[in-house]
């Protein structure tokens, strides 16, 4: 099969279309003929090198979410059959013509969604559900702040939280990004390049924060959280800021975070069931729409990475099979 391979750590140009052995599905796995693959920031970090990936992920093929058609089912697969259209969270290897993945990490391509639309769902919806709702415990009527509101994660968080009855505030790097977030259901955006989010949101009373920035945002986050507020990390810069423990006690704030990719199959399967029960109905009822900034043919994965690194995009960047 053809796959996009990281020929060696480096810039986007190291992504090369090469021949690679076609995977064989294990007993609990399905073999997906990949039609589209979503890009994620971790693909860029993996390409650059020095980024820890799980042991069972192919070291040289990036890609952690795909959509396609099931071509073959392992002997113990019960959920799916040949020809089913699915999207799947995968541990790596998504930039390829075929991928074998455990059946519990697949979900059906929602009605009305193309393969490109569906390829952008698994990593974002799983991450948002597990961090904002399971860990952050966001409730209807509460105020959520999402840093990086225009990211793939951000546009997903806005729409799901809004559909769940929460008010969503976001930080973004431009007015255009902010306006898109408002169109998707956000209540207010703060352009972090020209405004101080602590100052802008000080009086709002934020209940949950989803942070992918870390560093100096820690103190500001804690300052704007309400008593009983929850701060959830899904990424952070290398900076190690000081933590005011007294404030944590005074406001009874919970700080947590998680990394999805390294979680075990049992967790991902249970999460897929939760996402299917809670998020898929939002999609089929039209409360959640796919936000694709640009699609690229698989062979142009390097250009897709260049776009992601420019941070110009709003929403998802998707690779599509010709
Ligand atoms: N822990 C997990 O399991 C998990 C899972 C998935 C994703 N993630 C993380 O979630 C983040 C988003 O992932 P993605 O794939 O959706 O990436 P993405 O679309 O490339 O988005 C990254 C975003 O970060 C924003 N940003 C950069 N500096 C910022 C700052 N100082 N304040 C506010 N926003 C800032 C950028 O917006 P501007 O251009 O406007 O600055 C951009 O929208 C990444 O950090 C990724 O590693 C974690």
């Amino acid at each position: 099969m053809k796959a996009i391979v990281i020929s060696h750590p480096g810039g986007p140009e190291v992504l090369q279309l090469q021949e690679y052995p076609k995977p064989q599905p294990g007993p609990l796995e399905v073999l997906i003929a990949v039609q589209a693959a979503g890009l994620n920031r971790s693909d860029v970090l993996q390409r650059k090198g020095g980024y820890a990936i799980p042991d069972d992920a192919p070291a040289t093929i990036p890609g952690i979410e795909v959509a396609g058609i099931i071509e073959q089912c392992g002997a113990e697969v019960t959920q799916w059959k040949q020809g089913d259209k699915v999207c799947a969270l995968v541990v790596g290897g998504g930039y390829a013509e075929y991928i074998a993945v455990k059946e519990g990490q697949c979900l059906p391509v929602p009605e009305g969604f193309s393969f490109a639309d569906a390829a952008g769902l698994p990593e974002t919806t799983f991450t948002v559900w597990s961090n904002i709702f399971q860990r952050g415990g966001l409730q209807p009527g509460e105020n959520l702040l999402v840093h990086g509101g225009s990211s793939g994660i951000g546009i997903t968080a806005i729409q799901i939280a809004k559909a769940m009855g929460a008010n969503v505030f976001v930080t973004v790097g431009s007015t255009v990004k902010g306006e898109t977030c408002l169109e998707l259901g956000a209540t207010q955006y703060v352009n972090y390049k020209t405004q101080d989010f602590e100052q802008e949101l000080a009086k709002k009373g934020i209940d949950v924060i989803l942070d992918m920035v870390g560093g100096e945002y820690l103190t500001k986050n804690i300052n704007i959280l309400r008593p009983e507020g929850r701060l959830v990390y899904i990424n952070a810069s290398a900076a190690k800021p000081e933590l005011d423990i007294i404030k944590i006690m005074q406001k009874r704030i919970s700080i947590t975070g998680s990394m999805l990719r390294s979680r075990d199959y049992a967790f991902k399967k249970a999460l897929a069931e939760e996402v299917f029960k809670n998020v898929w109905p939002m999609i089929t009822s039209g409360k959640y729409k796919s936000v694709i900034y640009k699609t690229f043919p698989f062979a142009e994965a390097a250009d897709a990475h260049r776009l992601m690194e420019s941070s110009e995009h709003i929403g998802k960047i998707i690779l599509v099979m010709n």
Side-chain angles (χ1 to χ4, degrees):
M1 69 168 184
K2 296 264 190 295
I4 298 292
V5 172
I6 302 169
S7 51
H8 54 272
E13 68 286 351
V14 305
L15 295 174
Q16 289 172 9
L17 192 64
Q18 292 183 4
E19 279 300 325
Y20 202 87
K22 185 176 172 181
Q24 291 301 310
L28 266 179
E29 290 181 331
V30 296
L31 182 70
I32 300 173
V34 176
Q35 305 298 307
L39 249 74
N40 287 277
R41 207 36 92 146
S42 62
D43 303 346
V44 171
L45 300 176
Q46 182 177 345
R47 191 206 71 220
K48 287 180 172 171
Y51 174 73
I53 59 167
D55 292 343
D56 52 343
T60 56
I61 308 178
I64 53 176
E65 57 182 356
V66 299
I69 303 165
I70 293 183
E71 188 172 281
Q72 196 185 333
C73 292
E76 292 167 25
V77 167
T78 57
Q79 274 181 263
W80 307 104
K81 60 181 188 320
Q82 193 183 12
D84 283 346
K85 295 176 178 178
V86 293
C87 55
L89 182 76
V90 298
V91 76
Y95 294 10
E97 277 184 300
Y98 293 94
I99 189 157
V101 55
K102 293 230 173 56
E103 63 169 344
Q105 289 174 211
C106 301
L107 286 174
V109 171
E111 190 85 25
F113 264 42
S114 65
F115 285 117
D117 293 326
L121 289 174
E123 178 68 13
T124 53
T125 57
F126 284 42
T127 300
V128 163
W129 192 262
S130 69
N131 287 286
I132 296 181
F133 294 95
Q134 293 182 336
R135 305 196 79 76
L138 183 69
Q139 299 297 316
E142 286 194 325
N143 291 339
L144 168 72
L145 167 62
V146 180
H147 290 301
S150 65
S151 64
I153 294 289
I155 57 99
T156 305
I158 293 168
Q159 297 188 81
I160 296 178
K162 175 80 179 168
M164 294 294 286
N167 310 305
V168 189
F169 299 82
V170 294
T171 58
V172 292
S174 74
T175 306
V176 176
K177 290 181 173 183
E179 292 300 323
T180 305
C181 292
L182 295 186
E183 283 164 26
L184 290 171
T187 302
Q188 184 184 336
Y189 70 84
V190 177
N191 182 342
Y192 72 87
K193 291 184 179 160
T194 57
Q195 296 170 294
D196 182 335
F197 78 85
E198 182 185 359
Q199 216 173 320
E200 297 299 322
L201 302 177
K203 295 199 173 75
K204 298 294 176 191
I206 302 295
D207 299 286
V208 176
I209 300 177
L210 183 71
D211 192 359
M212 54 186 84
V213 179
E216 59 161 22
Y217 278 22
L218 175 67
T219 304
K220 292 169 183 247
N221 284 335
I222 287 168
N223 288 345
I224 63 168
L225 274 171
R226 270 188 180 137
E228 307 287 353
R230 289 84 75 196
L231 172 55
V232 188
Y233 282 100
I234 56 169
N235 201 357
S237 64
K240 293 199 170 65
E242 276 186 15
L243 175 64
D244 185 342
I245 296 169
I246 302 293
K247 251 187 208 153
I248 301 293
M249 293 190 294
Q250 283 168 340
K251 294 170 98 176
R252 302 176 301 284
I253 283 168
S254 304
I255 303 179
T256 181
S258 72
M259 289 177 176
L260 177 61
R261 195 170 181 181
S262 52
R263 300 301 298 270
D264 64 16
Y265 176 54
F267 175 83
K268 289 175 180 169
K269 183 174 184 293
L271 181 55
E273 286 162 7
E274 281 273 298
V275 167
F276 183 60
K277 193 173 82 185
N278 292 288
V279 179
W280 253 235
M282 292 175 192
I283 300 174
T284 44
S285 68
K287 286 184 184 156
Y288 180 102
K289 66 173 189 169
S290 156
V291 183
I292 296 180
Y293 188 73
K294 194 165 179 184
T295 61
F296 291 83
F298 256 79
E300 293 171 22
D303 287 336
H305 272 224
R306 283 185 192 100
L307 175 59
M308 177 159 267
E309 285 181 86
S310 77
S311 272
E312 170 198 316
H313 64 289
I314 299 173
K316 294 296 294 186
I317 302 168
I318 306 286
L319 300 177
V320 288
M321 275 292 166
N322 292 340

